Amino acid sequence: MVAKVVDLRSDTVTKPSEAMRAAMAAADVDDDVLGADPTARRFEAEMAALMGKEAALFVPSGTMANLVSVLVHCDVRGSEVILGDASHIHVYENGGISTIGGVHPKTVANNPDGTMDIDKIVAAIRHRGGALLYPTTRLICLENTHANCGGKCLSVEYTDKVGEIAKSHGLKLHIDGARIFNASVGLGVPVDRLVKAADSISVCLSKGLGAPVGSVIVGSKAFIDKAKILRKTLGGGMRQIGVLCAAASVAVRDTVGKLADDHRKAKALAEGLKKIKQFSVDSSSVETNMVFFDIMDPRISPDRLCQALEQRNVLAMPASSKSVRFVLHYQISDSDVQYALTCVEKAVEELLKGGTKFEHLTNGATKHSYGH
């Protein structure tokens, strides 16, 4: 009998549900590169309507979704994008906007709540008169929820304000909405209203929603027409993708309603971690499905804690040299949360005694697994 594994590494680790597998098996498919896959076309239309935009495009990954979006908006080499210094696009996507697109990043400090100060965004916009010396600002990027800031939600008021600034300066606004449905649920704001100010949004289907593969980009029809060409250029044109879109459609239908429960369990996990004196965790800052906590005792490192947890079939990731991240998803139960807390307490106790020995652990929960 295989032991139960409580996997808190990321919300990307979910397994397809039986309903998803059944939909994949029954999907009506054709060649999507030729624009002929009926399931893909139907799903893209559904996502565009849900997000309040004209059109949508399925792509293999969130990284490609963001890269394509930036390159559509910044279609002249030497363009510049304003984005957060802790944003996923800037930190965890291999510098693709620069290495592939020739787009220069202009970083603005992210605040603990995931925002960038409005006055700093305005100050980062290049004056047109400096075109001889400087890159040309064409785009502002936001991330909602903001992963590196603990899954924080950017409010609709803040997003609207950034959208106003972009429009008044002749710029575009892209939202990395990998977990935009978590933000919508956390804020109690319909998702189409939350992204109304954006010219484009990337939406990950394989994080909290639980689909096995893929993201969608949404925007105007003209934007998506250009995005489709770039998707092909980057190797993202696939054939019978209705098999994947069928699972994604089930994920959107079935899982959005479960996100609030993920948030509740994350809060419960944070409250439990708060009772462990070697940790520092602000449970009031847990807004969605992520829990970050700092380790205050120098005898315990994030790597060693994750290794000790792995020996108890609890998987987690270091978030930095002094912190650990737990991510909740719909396949984590209340009893899983309690089991994880018990294992954390036991792991801390053993690490403080200095008697734990680690063997070769290979399931991805060890060193430097940041950024998912």
Side-chain angles (χ1 to χ4, degrees):
M1 183 175 178
V2 178
K4 164 78 173 179
V5 174
V6 177
D7 197 338
L8 301 172
R9 290 174 297 170
S10 178
D11 47 6
T12 60
V13 302
T14 55
K15 309 298 190 294
S17 66
E18 289 303 317
M20 291 180 203
R21 294 175 187 272
M24 294 171 77
D28 184 13
V29 299
D30 205 324
D31 191 329
D32 184 64
V33 174
L34 301 180
D37 191 298
T39 303
R41 291 170 68 177
R42 184 169 56 250
F43 176 65
E44 289 168 344
E46 290 171 356
M47 289 302 295
L50 184 60
M51 305 298 290
K53 303 299 180 185
E54 292 179 353
L57 183 69
F58 183 91
V59 295
S61 71
T63 294
M64 183 179 286
N66 286 328
L67 178 59
V68 166
S69 298
V70 171
L71 297 191
V72 171
H73 294 307
C74 300
D75 56 354
V76 178
R77 291 183 69 85
S79 298
E80 187 167 72
V81 54
I82 297 170
L83 73 175
D85 65 342
S87 66
H88 198 280
I89 293 175
H90 183 61
V91 179
Y92 297 123
E93 297 183 10
N94 298 108
I97 62 171
S98 299
T99 58
I100 295 172
V103 178
H104 188 263
K106 175 70 171 179
T107 58
V108 173
N110 279 117
N111 297 314
D113 65 355
T115 63
M116 298 175 282
D117 288 344
I118 295 294
D119 59 344
K120 292 180 180 177
I121 293 175
V122 173
I125 299 171
R126 305 283 189 178
H127 294 290
R128 296 292 181 179
L132 179 64
L133 302 174
Y134 307 121
T136 301
T137 309
R138 299 188 190 277
L139 178 65
I140 302 171
C141 289
L142 299 177
E143 182 178 333
N144 199 10
T145 63
H146 200 291
N148 264 358
C149 294
K152 297 295 195 304
C153 303
L154 273 58
S155 71
V156 67
E157 295 81 9
Y158 175 80
T159 305
D160 284 352
K161 181 62 177 176
V162 177
E164 291 169 9
I165 290 169
K167 190 172 182 179
S168 67
H169 288 83
L171 310 177
K172 300 297 185 181
L173 173 61
H174 172 69
I175 295 177
D176 175 358
R179 296 179 176 91
I180 194 67
F181 284 100
N182 290 91
S184 172
V185 170
L187 294 167
V189 176
V191 70
D192 59 336
R193 177 63 189 90
L194 190 55
V195 302
K196 185 177 181 180
D199 297 285
S200 61
I201 308 100
S202 61
V203 183
C204 188
L205 304 162
S206 62
K207 290 188 169 70
L209 299 182
V213 180
S215 288
V216 291
I217 310 167
V218 296
S220 68
K221 184 179 183 303
F223 171 86
I224 293 300
D225 285 345
K226 294 178 181 178
K228 192 173 294 185
I229 296 170
L230 278 167
R231 180 185 69 173
K232 186 69 167 66
T233 303
L234 295 170
M238 299 183 290
R239 303 299 177 179
Q240 287 72 35
I241 65 167
V243 172
L244 301 177
C245 290
S249 183
V250 172
V252 174
R253 182 194 73 196
D254 292 353
T255 314
V256 172
K258 300 176 182 178
L259 295 177
D261 207 38
D262 296 343
H263 300 175
R264 176 188 62 79
K265 285 178 278 195
K267 182 77 77 171
L269 182 58
E271 290 290 345
L273 293 168
K274 192 175 180 181
K275 298 175 183 177
I276 301 174
K277 65 180 182 179
Q278 288 81 13
F279 298 161
S280 173
V281 55
D282 180 6
S283 58
S284 66
S285 72
V286 177
E287 296 182 1
T288 54
N289 66 326
M290 293 185 177
V291 180
F292 285 71
F293 60 94
D294 294 326
I295 300 174
M296 310 307 291
D297 193 311
R299 294 172 292 177
I300 304 172
S301 72
D303 288 328
R304 287 177 63 81
L305 177 62
C306 289
Q307 289 170 334
L309 289 173
E310 187 175 342
Q311 291 185 336
R312 295 170 171 79
N313 287 330
V314 175
L315 307 184
M317 282 186 176
S320 72
S321 61
K322 295 183 179 179
S323 63
V324 172
R325 184 188 80 166
F326 290 157
V327 185
L328 280 292
H329 49 81
Y330 81 100
Q331 292 178 345
I332 296 295
S333 67
D334 287 297
S335 61
D336 290 337
V337 170
Q338 293 307 311
Y339 177 74
L341 285 170
T342 299
C343 290
V344 171
E345 291 171 354
K346 291 180 178 178
V348 167
E349 183 179 342
E350 286 193 9
L351 289 168
L352 292 177
K353 290 179 180 178
T356 303
K357 294 181 180 179
F358 301 115
E359 298 180 4
H360 299 290
L361 305 177
T362 59
N363 57 23
T366 53
K367 280 191 177 182
H368 311 310
S369 299
Y370 317 150
H372 295 273

